[in-house]
Amino acid sequence: MKIGLIGYGCVGKGSYQILKEKYPSVIVDKVLVKDKTKERPSDLPITFDVEDIISNPEIDLVIEALDDAETAFIYALEILQQGKALVTANKKMVAENLPLLISTSREYGGRIFYEAAVCGSIPIIQNLNSYYRSEKIKSISGILNGSTNYILTLMYDEGISYKKALKEAQNKGFAESDPTLDVEGYDAANKLSILCYEAFGEYVAPDNITCSGITTITTATIELTKQENKKIKLIARGELQNGKLVTSVKPEIVAPGNPLYNIDNENNSVLIEGEYAGIQQLSGKGAGSLPTGLAVVGDVAKALSANKEPHVVTIHDL
Ligand code: NDP
Ligand code: HSE
């Protein structure tokens, strides 16, 4: 089985490594990158021409892990229009274009998988699509961005400045190429948009999500909350209020006992509140090469499995 890989950065590398280690029968036939001056492993099947992947009749599945949502969207449409399976980690691209991506996949028989786009290694999309299909979800909330949680943790634990902590998050590969997406809350809004679609069957464009980030939080503010044994967390929330879906991303003060209080560093956590099961929580690494690579490869395995059911069937389609 041959597949194509678009992007060989933090996520692309992690996905490639796990595929090699766990699925030696899956051949990554071509790897698309942009920069001709970067050093790459000598055995990496590099290409600079996307058509080597999209128009290649031997490739039925493409992993997309670009840091450029606009280019990724152009490629995604072409891949789906070819009837191929697309596995993407690109939450900005998915969140901004979800209705069109889904209608295109349905029209042309392509399939789209985006577990890696939401909360790194946490299998939240597949759980919403299977286990929670039977639940009446009332709210979905949590810490959806690893970089901001990492920054807030360093500021709290080590008293270092916001600027220094952001640099550390960038060095670890957690932050977006444009870190404004992380620190202004837009990345969490993109993930919340996808989660709301999966949980409630309602598409809320990320621009319509009330959003504020962590850029104005100082070490002095953190110190004050610390004196009260509290923490600041960037929390995304989608909840039904009188039958209407209300969404937001904003920093909140949490006290010990709050299920998000001990979610630190680049970890993410999602709380699902339902009528039947009450509140359940899924937590784990929300960013990074191998945690996100695991989610990508999980989708690859799903796409290549005998079950060719389109991913986009949710309870709302039944
Ligand atoms: P990186 O910046 O590390 O890597 C981006 C890759 O895309 C590079 O290999 C780059 O090529 C390639 N690229 C960019 N533009 C083009 C283009 N026009 N043509 C060909 N190749 C191109 O990004 P990440 O791996 O961190 O992120 C990738 C995606 O995954 C993003 O959408 C991000 O939001 C998402 N994501 C990231 C996570 C993380 O922890 N980092 C976690 C979950 C999702 P070159 O190598 O030549 O520069
Ligand atoms: N920049 C993102 C984050 C990557 O920090 O959560 C994972 O989606």
Side-chain angles (χ1 to χ4, degrees):
M1 164 58 73
K2 289 184 177 175
I3 70 170
L5 173 59
I6 294 183
Y8 189 73
C10 179
V11 175
K13 279 180 197 163
S15 309
Y16 186 81
Q17 180 184 331
I18 297 173
L19 277 170
K20 284 237 152 188
E21 288 171 7
K22 299 292 290 186
Y23 295 99
S25 63
V26 175
I27 310 295
V28 181
D29 193 46
K30 290 277 181 285
V31 179
L32 180 82
V33 287
K34 184 164 81 172
D35 187 340
K36 294 188 173 161
T37 65
K38 270 190 197 169
E39 280 212 21
R40 323 270 181 186
S42 56
D43 58 347
L44 199 68
I46 290 268
T47 179
F48 298 100
D49 181 359
V50 74
E51 290 312 318
D52 285 347
I53 293 175
I54 294 182
S55 301
N56 186 335
E58 292 190 341
I59 290 178
D60 289 330
L61 184 147
V62 183
I63 298 170
E64 181 276 304
L66 293 185
D67 59 339
D68 167 356
E70 282 69 38
T71 307
F73 179 51
I74 295 166
Y75 294 168
L77 285 184
E78 284 184 41
I79 291 161
L80 295 172
Q81 283 165 355
Q82 296 267 346
K84 297 182 196 279
L86 169 66
V87 173
T88 176
N90 204 316
K91 49 278 162 105
K92 186 172 189 302
M93 188 277 287
V94 172
E96 286 175 350
N97 304 291
L98 197 45
L100 186 55
L101 290 167
I102 286 172
S103 62
T104 306
S105 68
R106 286 189 174 139
E107 188 178 347
Y108 292 89
R111 291 175 301 145
I112 177 163
F113 301 81
Y114 39 83
E115 183 68 72
V118 185
C119 296
S121 66
I122 302 174
I124 182 64
I125 300 295
Q126 62 167 288
N127 274 295
L128 288 172
N129 263 278
S130 52
Y131 185 82
Y132 288 102
R133 278 167 93 158
S134 316
E135 178 60 289
K136 285 184 188 167
I137 296 177
K138 296 200 283 191
S139 73
I140 189 149
S141 60
I143 296 171
L144 309 185
N145 181 268
S147 300
T148 45
N149 205 38
Y150 186 77
I151 292 167
L152 292 170
T153 302
L154 287 196
M155 290 171 78
Y156 183 95
D157 285 351
E158 297 173 23
I160 66 171
S161 71
Y162 162 81
K163 224 173 148 185
K164 252 186 158 170
L166 169 59
K167 196 87 210 125
E168 289 269 324
Q170 289 176 301
N171 291 343
K172 296 255 178 180
F174 303 149
E176 299 300 306
S177 298
D178 172 7
T180 317
L181 292 169
D182 296 293
V183 297
E184 296 290 0
Y186 304 137
D187 178 75
N190 288 332
K191 292 164 178 164
L192 181 63
S193 165
I194 300 171
L195 285 182
C196 284
Y197 177 78
E198 299 288 337
F200 305 106
E202 183 173 336
Y203 175 65
V204 184
D207 278 355
N208 292 335
I209 293 176
T210 310
C211 188
S212 58
I214 65 159
T215 50
T216 54
I217 296 172
T218 61
T219 26
T221 319
I222 300 257
E223 193 47 46
L224 278 176
T225 51
K226 195 173 178 175
Q227 280 166 16
E228 294 175 4
N229 201 23
K230 292 177 180 159
K231 291 180 181 175
I232 299 176
K233 298 286 176 191
L234 184 67
I235 297 180
R237 186 172 278 110
E239 61 190 339
L240 292 176
Q241 290 179 7
N242 300 320
K244 193 176 177 301
L245 180 57
V246 178
T247 54
S248 64
V249 174
K250 58 181 192 314
E252 292 182 22
I253 293 173
V254 295
N258 184 305
L260 300 176
Y261 183 83
N262 286 320
I263 307 298
D264 289 329
N265 297 309
E266 76 273 30
N267 287 309
N268 284 187
S269 188
V270 188
L271 297 162
I272 305 118
E273 184 188 10
E275 272 187 34
Y276 301 131
I279 296 177
Q280 290 177 309
Q281 181 166 17
L282 284 173
S283 308
K285 286 196 193 304
S289 185
L290 290 173
T292 312
L294 179 70
V296 168
V297 175
D299 271 352
V300 171
K302 198 169 161 194
L304 297 181
S305 75
N307 177 7
K308 297 279 183 188
E309 183 186 347
H311 162 72
V312 289
V313 172
T314 72
I315 192 167
H316 315 287
D317 299 311
L318 297 178

